[in-house]
Amino acid sequence: MSTKDNELLKELTLEEYKYGFTTDIEMDIAPIGLTEDTVRMISAKKNEPEWLLEWRLKALRHFLQMDMPTWQNFDHPAVSFQDISYYAAPKAKPKLNSLDEVDPELLSTFAKLGIPLDEQKVLAGVVAVDAVFDSVSVKTTFREKLKEQGVIFCSFGEAVQEHPELVKQYLGSVVPQTDNIYAALNSAVFSDGSFVYIPKGVRCPMELSTYFRINAENTGQFERTLIIADEGAYVSYLEGCTAPMRDENQLHAAVVELIALKDAEIKYSTVQNWYPGDKDGKGGIYNFVTKRGICKGDNSKISWTQVETGSAITWKYPGVILKGDNSVGEFYSVALTRNRQVADTGTKMIHLGKNTKSKIISKGISAGHSHNSYRGLVKIAAGAENSRNFTQCDSLLIGDRCGAHTFPYIENRNKSAKLEHEATTSKIGEDQLFYLTQRGIDPEKAVGLIVNGYAKEVLNQLPMEFAVEAQKLLAISLEGSVG
Amino acid sequence: MLSIKKLHAEVEGKEILKGLDLEINAGEVHAIMGPNGSGKSTLGNVLAGRESYEVTEGEVLLDGRDLLELSPEDRAREGVFLAFQYPVEIPGVSNINFLKTAINEIREYKGLPPVEARDFLNMVKEKQKLVEFEAKLANRSLNEGFSGGEKKRNEIFQLAMLQPKLAILDETDSGLDIDALRIVARGVNQLRSKDNAFIVITHYQRLLEYIVPDFVHVLYNGRIVRSGTKELALELEEKGYDWIKETAGAENAI
């Protein structure tokens, strides 16, 4: 690599994280540590029914017996589960009915992040937002309007109170408490999150979105999202996340479960921009998340799209269980890592039903000293006649000190299945950069253009407003990363 | 406009240009000819500021401004354009978006506001006709899946859009059939004006039948060994590069 490239690479590491501010607000924070009492305390704070407390306690018992996994492609950091607090909530009135009751400090936090909580200020009302601050949901917009169509969009805590039958039926049905150690932890201590139910035949009239913000120190965020699309329903759901810059690592262990019944479709998009840590890898969020959907009914479809630019370590495999015949699972991913970031991400497509189809498009971008792995499983069960999978994994390297790795696993038990796998690795070439700079384009912008071009296939899957944000985010994340 | 004095440049430690002198005035077209390895493409790359080419000695002034001090993007903004011999493909980046970005970066450098969308589109429409560039090509990803001829036409299309002071055509004729060559040459001829200048780098005289130069220079072993008018190109075509090698060898011996 030439000296100029090296200089520019160095500059990259100096790039600041834009969302790193903290909010000063009075908080209700649980004492540090994890015992049955912690779980009981959280459950009591949320006024939960007995069955849910039992469910949590069962998860905790599992958690305490589980060992850390060892198969991942990075050094698993020692997370001392007894040194963090499992509940942090802004002190406020118990129930918020209007925006006036939301702490102005919180409103300004979300305003700073560009998340509108004031319905009147949202253009034409195209996106409804659930804003989650540390452990609790602060405000869900457009609930009334959605209610007219029978759509339920509220915080998880409210769903437990108001729609316990739905929660009881579906909670843990896609990601069991015992699925993995972080799912078990989440099941024991989850505090809030979003809940969505789209009734039969309803096409949700607006994008639903949750915005997660970690603020408090030494806390973990354990949210739980449950989305149910009843027969013939459609919903597009977006999530975004940021966190302050802190020297300590913070744990984010969420669980997302999606259930698509017959002829239903769920589109789930994520733009993940948790604080990635500084240039030496100090601080940053551990983003250990379990996301899974089930195409339960025939002809249903679940599509995951993710743009991952933040977190010190990202470890997640949003997957789809294709149970219904003719069901479709899709996974579109852009993961960008720089400095000392690590991403080990991919998907699991489990084909059970006949004529099921899955498509995986993964685009990894590595810069600095980062490591970016695609890990995916495509499993075709014996009964999954005529199933198909297409997988494409591309890696783009910026500089010569980063790594890209691909771990595709295929388990096929049906002869009629068709599987295709394509993989490429490329480097942003000096040729491409020179070509663009020779036309007067700033080298950083040039890298942004190249990367956005490379990721276009995935970005095109995002809803319009998000696609623009994601493009900017990729370009900003790469500022100074010319190499 | 452009003044090159005693230019020495090397690639990977090997000296390619060995004291090149060249003066170009606005409104002129200069052809640079020479055998393979004489340093023709190196000259183009050095002027555009490609990083792997290191200038070890000499001076290059563009309207009195030291070009060698500037980054590649600033040279472009000052009006240096290189039509590449091998234009690269950039998947997923639309030709149009790329051009708009480039134009706006150049405008920003000059303290101008971004181009109006309508003006830009009108300009695209007008300029793509110049090189018989179809609208769908303009909207496709930058050079991705373009044929050799389409790539070269795209270079001239960009040239027309960016309106540089000094355009360097690096073997734009290579790999072109006669029809594409005519199209490219006609585009260039229509862009010639009293305010701009062209350096046409070519191996063959053929291109110069279509783009008629004011001056022809023969580059050999890193130096201009002979300069003349368009007749020199014909003479070269007739006698071949060995003639240059022999005479240059003789001169060197003296």
Side-chain angles (χ1 to χ4, degrees):
Chain A
M1 199 190 299
S2 59
T3 44
K4 189 179 155 209
D5 290 347
N6 278 325
E7 276 164 32
L8 284 157
L9 262 179
K10 243 184 263 165
E11 271 173 40
L12 141 84
T13 59
L14 301 173
E15 196 52 41
E16 296 262 338
Y17 180 71
K18 201 168 123 190
Y19 306 98
F21 63 91
T22 55
T23 306
D24 261 334
I25 190 165
E26 234 190 303
M27 298 288 288
D28 184 4
I29 297 178
I32 277 165
L34 178 60
T35 61
E36 285 208 1
D37 287 343
T38 321
V39 173
R40 285 177 197 282
M41 187 275 299
I42 293 170
S43 191
K45 274 210 186 288
K46 307 199 75 70
N47 195 23
E48 286 175 352
E50 188 62 26
W51 67 263
L52 190 49
L53 173 63
E54 283 309 316
W55 193 84
R56 285 174 177 276
L57 289 171
K58 196 176 145 200
L60 179 70
R61 282 169 214 134
H62 277 298
F63 168 75
L64 293 172
Q65 283 166 19
M66 288 171 106
D67 290 324
M68 282 294 172
T70 53
W71 46 263
Q72 66 278 11
N73 190 37
F74 55 89
D75 291 329
H76 190 283
V79 180
S80 8
F81 294 104
Q82 296 303 341
D83 291 344
I84 50 179
S85 165
Y86 289 84
Y87 187 81
K91 273 189 186 159
K93 291 171 191 171
K95 202 167 179 191
L96 299 166
N97 291 315
S98 87
L99 209 56
D100 301 339
E101 295 170 42
V102 178
D103 191 309
E105 197 57 44
L106 278 180
L107 285 182
S108 83
T109 298
F110 283 101
K112 243 182 185 169
L113 297 168
I115 309 301
L117 295 184
D118 187 342
E119 291 179 13
Q120 277 145 19
K121 285 189 188 148
V122 182
L123 281 172
V126 282
V127 183
V129 179
D130 182 22
V132 176
F133 190 84
D134 288 327
S135 300
V136 291
S137 169
V138 175
K139 164 83 183 165
T140 311
T141 60
F142 292 106
R143 289 176 59 169
E144 292 308 310
K145 195 174 170 197
L146 289 165
K147 218 172 171 180
E148 287 166 21
Q149 308 234 15
V151 173
I152 304 169
F153 179 38
C154 62
S155 74
F156 202 93
E158 285 165 302
V160 170
Q161 303 302 322
E162 289 163 29
H163 309 282
E165 69 299 337
L166 282 172
V167 175
K168 198 172 176 181
Q169 184 181 353
Y170 290 108
L171 179 68
S173 69
V174 194
V175 179
Q177 292 142 302
T178 49
D179 190 81
N180 66 70
I181 189 163
Y182 287 103
L185 178 63
N186 173 287
S187 301
V189 301
F190 74 87
S191 40
D192 216 335
S194 301
F195 177 86
V196 175
Y197 172 78
I198 315 289
K200 261 184 205 171
V202 171
R203 204 182 156 82
C204 189
M206 56 178 86
E207 307 275 351
L208 303 184
S209 145
T210 300
Y211 193 88
F212 296 104
R213 173 78 180 167
I214 293 180
N215 186 63
E217 269 179 286
N218 299 319
T219 56
Q221 184 163 17
F222 307 95
E223 86 272 359
R224 188 116 197 161
T225 300
L226 181 55
I227 299 177
I228 303 143
D230 212 326
E231 291 182 12
Y234 168 84
V235 64
S236 167
Y237 184 92
L238 327 165
E239 70 173 357
C241 1
T242 57
M245 291 160 72
R246 297 197 187 279
D247 286 346
E248 306 81 38
N249 294 106
Q250 283 183 285
L251 181 61
H252 171 251
V255 172
V256 176
E257 295 178 282
L258 312 181
I259 295 115
L261 301 183
K262 190 166 169 283
D263 301 320
E265 180 176 348
I266 302 174
K267 197 172 153 63
Y268 193 105
S269 313
T270 303
V271 174
Q272 187 266 108
N273 188 23
W274 294 119
Y275 176 53
D278 71 6
K279 63 183 166 54
D280 302 317
K282 194 172 185 196
I285 302 290
Y286 294 147
N287 188 34
F288 300 162
V289 172
T290 310
K291 290 180 166 175
R292 196 173 302 145
I294 182 165
C295 285
K296 212 167 175 180
D298 295 350
N299 314 312
S300 54
K301 180 176 175 184
I302 289 179
S303 177
W304 296 100
T305 303
Q306 59 174 26
V307 175
E308 306 281 327
T309 61
S311 297
I313 303 175
T314 295
W315 194 11
K316 63 181 234 185
Y317 312 95
V320 184
I321 300 167
L322 296 149
K323 185 161 179 259
D325 291 347
N326 315 312
S327 58
V328 177
E330 292 177 340
F331 175 75
Y332 298 93
S333 172
V334 175
L336 184 155
T337 52
R338 58 179 191 148
N339 295 337
R340 305 272 169 180
Q341 275 179 283
V342 170
D344 193 316
T345 184
T347 184
K348 287 181 185 177
M349 292 291 175
I350 314 293
H351 293 252
L352 303 176
K354 295 184 182 71
N355 308 314
T356 46
K357 275 190 215 151
S358 62
K359 184 175 176 185
I360 299 169
I361 308 285
S362 166
K363 304 264 181 181
I365 303 153
S366 333
H369 291 84
S370 70
H371 280 270
N372 205 323
S373 301
Y374 168 81
R375 185 187 302 274
L377 169 67
V378 177
K379 190 170 177 173
I380 313 280
E385 289 291 321
N386 299 315
S387 290
R388 280 188 179 184
N389 165 264
F390 173 77
T391 299
Q392 186 186 330
C393 300
D394 297 330
S395 307
L396 184 68
L397 301 170
I398 302 174
D400 52 11
R401 283 164 296 170
C402 51
H405 318 269
T406 307
F407 305 96
Y409 300 88
I410 295 172
E411 285 176 43
N412 185 8
R413 296 185 200 288
N414 188 303
K415 278 184 190 161
S416 64
K418 282 195 189 126
L419 297 112
E420 285 175 77
H421 183 96
E422 290 176 10
T424 65
T425 301
S426 52
K427 236 184 123 167
I428 288 193
E430 193 246 350
D431 284 3
Q432 288 180 324
L433 267 179
F434 182 59
Y435 191 83
L436 296 179
T437 52
Q438 208 300 306
R439 298 302 187 243
I441 299 173
D442 180 82
E444 286 181 1
K445 264 194 195 154
V447 171
L449 272 177
I450 295 169
V451 166
N452 272 307
Y454 163 80
K456 199 177 190 178
E457 213 178 335
V458 174
L459 298 178
N460 280 347
Q461 296 297 324
L462 290 170
M464 182 79 129
E465 303 82 6
F466 251 42
V468 175
E469 282 307 303
Q471 276 180 20
K472 280 190 210 151
L473 186 60
L474 284 182
I476 291 167
S477 299
L478 278 169
E479 261 170 34
S481 67
V482 181
Chain B
M1 174 189 280
L2 184 75
S3 164
I4 304 176
K5 289 203 174 82
K6 293 196 176 65
L7 185 63
H8 290 254
E10 52 182 55
V11 181
E12 290 168 2
K14 188 173 177 239
E15 188 166 61
I16 308 284
L17 296 184
K18 302 170 180 172
L20 185 142
D21 295 287
L22 186 62
E23 293 288 331
I24 294 177
N25 296 309
E28 293 174 352
V29 174
H30 290 242
I32 308 273
M33 301 183 72
N36 288 332
S38 58
K40 299 192 300 291
S41 286
T42 298
L43 176 63
N45 282 302
V46 164
L47 292 178
R50 190 170 206 136
E51 215 177 317
S52 40
Y53 293 76
E54 199 191 338
V55 174
T56 49
E57 212 186 312
E59 176 183 80
V60 180
L61 300 177
L62 181 71
D63 286 334
R65 178 139 200 210
D66 183 357
L67 204 61
L68 301 177
E69 270 197 337
L70 301 177
S71 64
E73 60 274 19
D74 281 348
R75 295 182 197 200
R77 294 161 184 169
E78 288 285 343
V80 175
F81 181 97
L82 176 64
F84 286 80
Q85 185 178 0
Y86 305 108
V88 296
E89 299 191 3
I90 306 188
V93 175
S94 87
N95 226 0
I96 288 297
N97 187 17
F98 150 70
L99 268 173
K100 199 171 175 186
T101 308
I103 285 174
N104 283 337
E105 292 264 298
I106 294 169
R107 288 177 66 93
E108 193 186 332
Y109 182 78
K110 294 179 175 165
L112 297 168
V115 62
E116 293 282 337
R118 195 203 296 172
D119 295 345
F120 176 73
L121 287 176
N122 285 339
M123 198 170 155
V124 168
K125 265 188 211 159
E126 183 200 324
K127 303 294 184 188
Q128 67 190 14
K129 272 189 216 142
L130 207 65
V131 285
E132 298 178 23
F133 208 60
E134 285 170 50
K136 64 176 185 210
L137 279 180
N139 285 312
R140 265 172 40 191
S141 285
L142 186 47
N143 291 330
E144 195 185 11
F146 282 29
S147 71
E150 284 168 346
K151 282 181 184 168
K152 294 295 175 76
R153 271 152 66 196
N154 196 12
E155 294 295 292
I156 306 305
F157 173 54
Q158 292 172 30
L159 170 66
M161 291 293 290
L162 299 178
Q163 300 173 317
K165 237 187 249 176
L166 174 71
I168 306 153
L169 311 186
D170 187 5
E171 306 218 10
T172 298
D173 51 335
S174 69
L176 288 190
D177 62 26
I178 197 76
D179 291 333
L181 186 69
R182 277 201 192 110
I183 292 169
V184 163
R186 202 183 57 218
V188 170
N189 287 330
Q190 288 185 30
L191 294 169
R192 285 171 78 160
S193 81
K194 63 177 176 31
D195 301 317
N196 62 21
F198 286 82
I199 296 176
V200 179
I201 295 169
T202 182
H203 193 74
Y204 301 105
Q205 189 268 341
R206 190 180 66 160
L207 177 66
L208 305 181
E209 286 174 20
Y210 298 95
I211 303 173
V212 181
D214 299 302
F215 300 97
V216 174
H217 309 279
V218 181
L219 193 59
Y220 178 65
N221 202 16
R223 240 177 282 175
I224 288 175
V225 293
R226 201 170 287 252
S227 294
T229 53
K230 62 183 188 208
E231 285 74 24
L232 177 59
L234 291 171
E235 194 179 355
L236 203 57
E237 179 90 344
E238 197 183 308
K239 297 184 176 169
Y241 282 116
D242 284 343
W243 164 62
I244 290 294
K245 287 177 192 171
E246 284 157 23
T247 50
E251 278 164 20
N252 285 346
I254 300 162

